[in-house]
Amino acid sequence: MRIVITAQGETLDSNVDPRFGRAKTFIVVDTENGEFECVDNTQNLNAAQGAGIQAAQTVCGTNAEALITGNCGPKAFRVLSTAGVKVYTGATGTVAEALEKFKNGELKESNEANVEGHWM
């Protein structure tokens, strides 16, 4: 399974970025073999608008089946849901810790956005 986790850095030891659309990076993890890659999201860090939608399109382009993040707005949530990407919000700690919580069933799948648009 391919999972994307929003991150403030480029490794599994990086902290989870609580923002989805304006996250610094996305860590894409393959849970079957443990390999991961970092996908840059700097094009959306200072976007005036549309950061969530563009970030959602980036995530969809990774063929991820799930997204783990702190928060996700309504437009991004809609794009991800339409593409079949499951969204898990409320993640904290490091990317590795969030991944472990996911594997242990400690994160609950969200059925709607947990913040309004333009959340910083």
Side-chain angles (χ1 to χ4, degrees), residues 3 13 22 27 45-46 53 56-57 65 74 90 95 110 115 118:
I3 300 172
D13 293 327
R22 298 181 193 279
I27 303 292
L45 287 178
N46 298 312
I53 293 170
Q57 291 170 336
E65 297 172 60
V95 170
S110 300
V115 292
H118 301 288

Side-chain angles (χ1 to χ4, degrees), residues 19-78:
R19 306 162 302 173
F20 170 62
R22 298 181 193 279
K24 182 175 180 185
T25 60
F26 301 123
I27 303 292
V28 183
V29 180
D30 185 326
T31 60
E32 293 182 23
N33 61 23
E35 293 180 6
F36 73 93
E37 65 178 303
C38 179
V39 176
D40 185 66
N41 189 45
T42 55
Q43 78 276 4
N44 289 319
L45 287 178
N46 298 312
Q49 61 184 14
I53 293 170
Q54 289 186 29
Q57 291 170 336
T58 298
V59 168
C60 292
T62 68
N63 296 318
E65 297 172 60
L67 165 74
I68 299 172
T69 188
N71 299 284
C72 186
K75 292 178 184 177
F77 188 89
R78 191 171 22 244

Side-chain angles (χ1 to χ4, degrees), residues 1-5 29 31 65-69 86-89 91 94-109:
M1 175 179 213
R2 290 177 60 86
I3 300 172
V4 171
I5 304 170
V29 180
T31 60
E65 297 172 60
L67 165 74
I68 299 172
T69 188
K86 296 178 180 180
V87 178
Y88 297 81
T89 57
T94 67
V95 170
E97 291 168 345
L99 183 59
E100 196 61 31
K101 287 178 184 175
F102 175 82
K103 289 178 180 179
N104 292 335
E106 297 173 34
L107 298 178
K108 302 296 178 213
E109 183 180 349

